Amino acid sequence: MTVITDTAALSAVCAEFATEDFVTIDTEFMREKTYYPQLCLVQLGNDEKAVAIDTLADGLDLAPLIELLKNKNVLKVFHAARQDLEIFYHLCGELPAPIFDTQVAGMICGFGDSVSYDKLVQSLTGIHLDKSSRFADWSHRPLSEKQIGYALADVIHLRPVYRALVTSIEESGRMDWIADEVAKMADPAIYDPDPETVWQRLKVRSGKPKFLAVLQQIAAFREREARQRDVPRNRILRDDVLMDIAAHAPSTPEELARTRTFNAQVANGRLGQEIIKVVNKGLALPKEACPRLPAKDDKREAPGPIVELLKVLLKIRSDEEKVAARLIANAADIEAIALDDDADVPALKGWRRDLFGADAVNLKHGRIGLTAEAGKIKLMRL
């Protein structure tokens, strides 16, 4: 088992891998105590070898790895790439390209929603993986042989999985489907959100302008503070505390001390002073400058029976075409279609329309129906 701990060895293996058509890649990281994932190991694989790069090794320069990740001539194959891409975006300053995600490919090939790596490996190669090291402390050194074996398995078996999935997708003529899904991962905003917009990720129940103005400011403050101190967001302020501050808008230490989780000492300390500062900044915004919740284009409630019919249709089409239902349409898509034949949703565009959207509209208007035959639900043209 090869573990790389020096720059010369890393440079040599990356030069070798740069001649490949594709390289399988995985990472091991820790993020329980940090804002940014702490990269502990990077695994690379080709047909001849698999290596584990000890990113915590003293004096190791990762420049050869970064160059490989940026090499446009080498396809990088991941499984469930989102977290790996986040790590490499902050390491390289840009996203690796081109990439292929076997989890997305698995969803296109009928392996279900968010299919796991070990399930794909077992289904496509017959090999059962030992995942007992999944929750190991990857920052602790030395790594055990069991840990290294587990880590390398994530790129060794990814190669036959990738080839099998590509063959299946090519035979079904669906390569453009996966290209469409992978393209969605190439938005840097996914991995480096603007602090001023992170409030939109919270479950907000009030649309009052001043509430939203304070929430935007306090959420942005938490984001910047967590990044600067490299700690998880909730180590600064929990989500429920953000909502409490936005609801009460404390503008003095005394008012802050009366809210949950704060006492007089904290309210009068640095954190309390910063919170009061951003609260007052939010309160000072004129009403027209306050953020607003996204407007719902259609405030009507989707008719329940139509929604249920469309869900059945989605299940039928998903099963027939062996594509994960979630990849075709989500609950919001279905409700939008139930209300509007021309809703601006992915399910009514491109391959999704051909697979499901057009029939969904036809079902709404009685041009097709559902019937039972031999214990199965089938479409019936009317």
Side-chain angles (χ1 to χ4, degrees), residues 252-302:
T252 66
E254 292 74 24
E255 291 177 356
L256 181 60
R258 287 196 291 271
T259 61
R260 291 183 300 172
T261 74
F262 292 97
N263 56 35
Q265 182 179 357
V266 175
N268 285 282
R270 188 194 73 84
L271 179 61
Q273 291 174 1
E274 292 292 337
I275 290 173
I276 291 166
K277 185 187 301 182
V278 297
V279 167
N280 286 325
K281 183 178 177 181
L283 291 173
L285 281 176
K287 187 175 181 179
E288 60 273 15
C290 292
R292 288 176 171 77
L293 294 175
K296 292 185 177 180
D297 296 330
D298 197 328
K299 293 182 172 58
R300 296 173 295 160
E301 184 175 350

Side-chain angles (χ1 to χ4, degrees), residues 193-204 212 215-217 219-220 222-223 242-243 291-294:
D194 179 357
E196 298 298 326
T197 65
V198 293
W199 69 273
Q200 297 171 355
R201 300 184 177 186
L202 301 171
K203 294 181 179 179
V204 181
L212 295 178
L215 181 63
Q216 180 189 43
Q217 295 299 322
R222 179 181 73 168
E223 195 74 12
L242 294 186
M243 296 299 177
R292 288 176 171 77
L293 294 175

